[in-house]
């Protein structure tokens, strides 16, 4: 039977990071392209304005040269530099040395027509160098109307272009994500369907084993029954993990004051047969008994997963010490350990680092999710092939 | 101090002297005043360096081709004779000529 299709797709951290990087790169490229176009448009508009002004400036230049010519002819009589209200001017000799100027600022002779400090400049070279003037600069004020118009146009264009790029980016990202989403959906759906189908047989096995009077069994049968008990509990644990994951958000939370010492002992007893099968010595050491205001089912799930992992990845004849302090529970085991570089990735869903034992890689993801919900801090220390220490702090 | 000033005054007179004796004296006899030549050079060569270089080359070896004066002027007065001044004297005379008629610092 299929279950509801409304699944919450969980993207792992590395996948999210890749997506963020692609989105940032796309955004940066979009900004560069938009700014590149804006700059080109601005330059074109400026050039257009300069070309429109050129004729007017050329006329001013002609007028100035006529006056300069008159001054050149009559230089022995008058030395008054020709001025006009319409424009400012400057003259330079062939060595680009300033002869005279009505413009106070530094001028460039490298371009013919240019805009500098909101002033339009035209540099012309007359046929005859009146008073030695090879370069004549005519300067008029730029009314900046073109600038205001271009600014508005660019603002509108940038907004529009950015919106379009954003929509394209969003569509592309969704397309890019689709195969990944489909794969995760498929896995989630498979797990949900399997979980649902496991419910009845697992419950039947566990309940029936519990109902058997073990005192009446001979040693051989008891051994077999114990093996079935271990197997059933393992399946039951996996079943509970999967149920928690698939129905995690829909489970009714019932927070209450929980005696931690009592709960730890109860869970250790539950896993006793599993530990015995592997000859793992398990003990609870209560330094300071304390209680937490938490949902019992969730805390049990958290503890179960940590104990289950400690058994699963332990050595034959290994040990598990569970120590309860005032502000922490420590799960210490003599297991295979975890490499330092893998410790960070451990709490991601479906992450497994070895194939020593079976599993879906869900355990620590559930532990992490419950710990986050109740603001519990998880600290993992380990030495590969030697030991692992998981501390749950509050 | 007085000695330094005297030497400076003498040098100025001597510089002006080459120009006065060898340039102005002859040009006085011509109907076109000496400043008009200056402005014709300025019209064609623009900068101090180029003007002085053009004048120097012309005075060293005058020719119709090198002259900045109009065709009619040359037809009437001809091309002047080669200068007998030494290079140093010629440079000094040109410096005085430039400083007397240059545009720099005279415009208002």
């Amino acid at each position: 039977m299929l279950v509801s299709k409304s699944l919450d797709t969980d993207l792992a951290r590395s996948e999210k990071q890749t997506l963020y990087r692609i989105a940032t790169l796309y955004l940066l490229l979009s900004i560069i392209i938009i700014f590149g176009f804006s700059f080109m448009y601005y330059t074109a508009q400026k050039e257009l304005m300069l070309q429109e002004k050129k004729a007017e400036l050329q006329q001013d230049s002609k007028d100035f040269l006529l006056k300069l010519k008159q001054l050149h002819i009559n230089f022995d009589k008058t030395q008054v530099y020709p001025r006009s209200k319409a424009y400012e001017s400057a003259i330079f000799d062939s060595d680009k040395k300033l002869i005279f100027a009505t413009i106070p600022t530094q001028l460039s002779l490298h371009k013919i027509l240019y805009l500098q400090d909101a002033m339009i400049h035209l540099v012309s070279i007359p046929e005859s160098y009146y008073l030695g003037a090879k370069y004549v600069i005519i300067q008029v004020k730029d009314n900046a109307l073109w600038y205001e118009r271009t600014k508005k146009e660019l603002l509108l264009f940038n907004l529009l272009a950015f919106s379009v790029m954003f929509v394209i980016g969003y569509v592309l990202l969704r397309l890019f994500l689709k195969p990944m989403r489909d794969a995760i959906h498929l896995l989630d759906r498979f797990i949900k369907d399997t979980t649902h189908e496991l419910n009845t047989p697992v419950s039947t096995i566990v309940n029936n084993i519990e109902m058997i009077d073990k005192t009446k069994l001979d040693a051989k049968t008891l051994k077999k029954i114990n093996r079935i008990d271990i197997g059933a509990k393992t399946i039951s644990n996996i079943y509970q993990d999967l149920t928690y994951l698939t129905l995690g958000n829909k489970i009714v939370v019932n927070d209450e004051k929980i005696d931690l010492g009592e709960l730890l002992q109860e869970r250790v007893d539950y896993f006793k047969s599993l530990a015995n099968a592997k000859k793992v010595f398990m003990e609870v050491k209560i330094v300071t008994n304390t209680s937490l205001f938490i949902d019992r089912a969730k805390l049990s799930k958290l503890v179960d997963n940590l104990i289950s992992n400690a058994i699963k990845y332990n050595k034959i004849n290994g040990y598990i010490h569970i120590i309860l302090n005032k502000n922490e529970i420590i799960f210490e085991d003599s297991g295979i350990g975890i490499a330092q570089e893998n410790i960070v990735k451990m709490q991601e869903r479906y992450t497994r680092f070895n194939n020593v034992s079976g599993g879906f890689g869900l355990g620590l993801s559930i532990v992490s999710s419950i710990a986050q919900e109740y603001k519990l801090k998880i600290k993992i220390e380990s030495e590969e092939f030697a030991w692992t220490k998981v501390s749950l702090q509050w | 101090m007085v000695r330094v000033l005297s030497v400076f005054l003498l040098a100025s007179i001597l510089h002006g002297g080459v120009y006065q004796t060898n340039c102005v004296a002859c040009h006085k006899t011509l109907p076109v005043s000496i400043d008009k030549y200056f402005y014709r050079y300025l019209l064609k060569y623009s900068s101090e360096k180029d003007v002085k270089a053009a004048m120097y080359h012309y005075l060293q070896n005058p020719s119709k081709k090198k002259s900045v004066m109009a065709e009619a002027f040359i037809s009437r007065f001809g091309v002047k004779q080669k200068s007998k001044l030494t290079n140093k004297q010629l440079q000094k005379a040109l410096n005085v000529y430039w400083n007397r008629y240059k545009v720099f610092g005279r415009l208002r």
Side-chain angles (χ1 to χ4, degrees):
Chain A
M1 193 179 142
L2 295 175
V3 288
S4 165
K5 239 186 142 187
S6 61
L7 302 164
D8 306 313
T9 302
D10 177 26
L11 290 173
R13 193 190 306 173
S14 60
E15 288 152 356
K16 275 183 185 167
Q17 268 181 355
T18 310
L19 280 178
Y20 286 141
R21 280 178 196 154
I22 291 169
T24 312
L25 194 70
Y26 176 82
L27 202 73
L28 272 172
L29 275 173
S30 303
I31 290 171
I32 291 169
I33 291 168
I34 291 169
F35 273 89
F37 273 114
S38 301
F39 179 73
M40 273 157 58
Y41 183 74
Y42 170 81
T43 313
Q45 287 299 307
K46 191 172 91 176
E47 202 53 42
L48 190 73
M49 174 279 295
L50 286 174
Q51 289 308 321
E52 280 171 4
K53 281 273 179 186
K54 194 176 181 181
E56 189 188 314
L57 281 157
Q58 277 173 332
Q59 193 52 49
D60 289 340
S61 183
K62 218 180 222 174
D63 169 71
F64 175 73
L65 279 171
L66 274 174
K67 289 176 184 169
L68 199 66
K69 186 181 176 181
Q70 285 305 312
L71 182 65
H72 183 96
I73 295 164
N74 302 306
F75 198 64
D76 53 339
K77 297 182 193 85
T78 176
Q79 288 87 39
V80 178
Y81 184 79
R83 287 171 173 84
S84 167
K85 280 181 183 172
Y87 55 83
E88 298 295 333
S89 63
I91 51 175
F92 294 81
D93 70 10
S94 57
D95 286 341
K96 295 179 179 170
K97 193 174 165 190
L98 180 70
I99 300 170
F100 195 83
T102 59
I103 308 159
T105 52
Q106 198 77 26
L107 296 163
S108 168
L109 295 170
H110 300 293
K111 284 181 270 180
I112 292 170
L113 191 63
Y114 62 92
L115 186 69
Q116 182 190 304
D117 303 330
M119 295 285 181
I120 306 164
H121 301 83
L122 175 76
V123 180
S124 54
I125 302 172
E127 280 177 22
S128 298
Y129 309 147
Y130 302 115
L131 298 179
K134 184 173 179 179
Y135 301 100
V136 174
I137 297 187
I138 296 295
Q139 183 198 62
V140 293
K141 200 172 172 0
D142 173 27
N143 57 20
L145 285 174
W146 71 275
Y147 179 74
E148 290 302 322
R149 194 187 64 239
T150 309
K151 209 164 75 178
K152 277 180 196 161
E153 284 170 354
L154 278 176
L155 195 74
L156 201 71
F157 164 76
N158 280 352
L159 275 173
L160 204 72
F162 200 77
S163 308
V164 171
M165 294 296 252
F166 183 82
V167 171
I168 293 171
Y170 181 73
V171 172
L172 280 175
L173 213 61
R174 279 195 75 90
L175 281 175
F176 177 74
L177 269 179
K178 202 175 178 303
M180 204 153 49
R181 278 170 175 267
D182 287 350
I184 293 168
H185 275 191
L186 195 72
L187 187 62
D188 272 354
R189 203 152 137 177
F190 171 74
I191 292 168
K192 278 190 175 182
D193 291 351
T194 314
T195 312
H196 194 78
E197 298 302 332
L198 273 174
N199 188 10
T200 318
V202 167
S203 304
T204 311
I205 297 166
V206 171
N207 290 338
N208 279 288
I209 289 172
E210 277 173 9
M211 280 191 285
I212 293 171
D213 185 0
K214 288 169 187 167
T215 53
K216 289 177 181 169
L217 298 174
D218 61 276
K220 228 175 174 184
T221 315
L222 185 65
K223 207 174 175 184
K224 283 174 187 165
I225 289 292
N226 270 340
R227 281 188 199 139
I228 296 169
D229 185 33
I230 292 162
K233 277 179 179 166
T234 309
I235 297 171
S236 175
N237 201 34
I238 294 169
Y239 166 75
Q240 281 166 18
D241 278 357
L242 295 173
T243 311
Y244 176 83
L245 277 175
T246 51
L247 300 171
N249 299 335
K250 289 132 198 158
I251 291 171
V252 179
V253 178
N254 183 22
D255 290 343
E256 56 184 318
K257 196 175 172 186
I258 305 286
D259 183 318
L260 293 179
E262 188 194 308
L263 185 122
L264 285 174
Q265 196 55 59
E266 181 195 308
R267 299 326 296 162
V268 163
D269 291 343
Y270 178 80
F271 282 102
K272 208 97 191 176
S273 51
L274 211 67
N276 288 342
K278 225 174 168 180
K279 290 175 186 157
V280 170
F281 171 71
M282 190 158 57
E283 68 161 358
V284 180
K285 202 173 157 189
I286 299 166
V287 179
T288 315
N289 196 10
T290 185
S291 55
L292 273 182
F293 194 72
I294 194 167
D295 183 88
R296 177 175 278 275
K298 286 187 179 176
L299 184 61
S300 297
K301 192 93 261 357
L302 190 152
V303 172
D304 282 4
N305 270 307
L306 292 175
I307 296 175
S308 164
N309 276 350
I311 298 170
K312 210 189 287 178
Y313 300 110
N314 218 317
K315 297 167 193 160
I316 302 289
N317 292 321
Y319 66 84
I320 299 169
H321 295 152
I322 302 167
I323 305 150
L324 175 63
N325 288 320
K326 196 185 171 190
N327 292 313
E328 64 174 353
I329 310 171
I330 299 165
F331 298 82
E332 213 170 20
D333 68 64
S334 55
I336 54 167
I338 312 144
Q340 286 304 309
E341 65 267 25
N342 291 330
I343 288 180
V344 182
K345 292 183 189 169
M346 277 188 69
Q347 292 164 46
E348 284 176 14
R349 198 162 160 186
Y350 308 129
T351 302
R352 299 185 67 241
F353 296 109
N354 65 71
N355 295 312
V356 169
S357 187
F360 294 103
L362 300 171
L364 275 178
S365 165
I366 293 170
V367 169
S368 170
S369 145
I370 297 169
Q372 261 180 12
E373 190 182 341
Y374 287 97
K375 295 187 172 59
L376 304 172
K377 196 180 160 196
I378 302 170
K379 194 175 156 197
I380 303 171
E381 294 163 90
S382 184
E383 191 185 318
E384 210 173 2
F385 311 116
W387 55 267
T388 302
K389 187 177 163 186
V390 180
S391 312
L392 196 69
Q393 299 165 333
W394 56 88
Chain B
M1 184 69 182
V2 176
R3 190 179 288 175
V4 173
L5 277 172
S6 308
V7 170
F8 180 74
L9 201 67
L10 189 68
S12 302
I13 291 165
L14 280 173
H15 283 183
V18 177
Y19 168 70
Q20 285 293 337
T21 324
N22 298 282
C23 308
V24 180
C26 284
H27 275 276
K28 259 184 185 169
T29 58
L30 293 170
V32 180
S33 60
I34 196 164
D35 61 322
K36 298 295 176 202
Y37 299 90
F38 182 88
Y39 294 115
R40 282 200 78 100
Y41 270 98
L42 208 55
L43 201 64
K44 191 172 178 182
Y45 294 102
S46 178
S47 71
E48 178 181 357
K49 191 181 79 196
D50 293 348
V51 165
K52 280 181 180 175
M55 284 178 180
Y56 179 81
H57 285 116
Y58 178 77
L59 293 170
Q60 285 278 54
N61 198 6
S63 70
K64 193 177 169 184
K65 204 179 165 189
K66 283 183 191 169
S67 175
V68 290
M69 299 311 281
E71 187 86 29
F73 179 88
I74 295 167
S75 303
R76 190 172 165 196
F77 299 104
V79 177
K80 81 175 281 301
Q81 281 185 348
K82 192 178 172 179
S83 170
K84 285 169 190 166
L85 294 173
T86 62
N87 289 350
K88 214 174 173 184
Q89 284 175 316
L90 205 55
Q91 289 293 357
K92 279 176 186 171
L94 286 173
N95 287 342
V96 175
Y97 190 38
W98 173 265
N99 285 329
R100 189 151 295 179
Y101 296 108
K102 69 178 177 185
V103 178
F104 290 94
R106 292 177 67 194
L107 284 166
R108 291 179 274 123

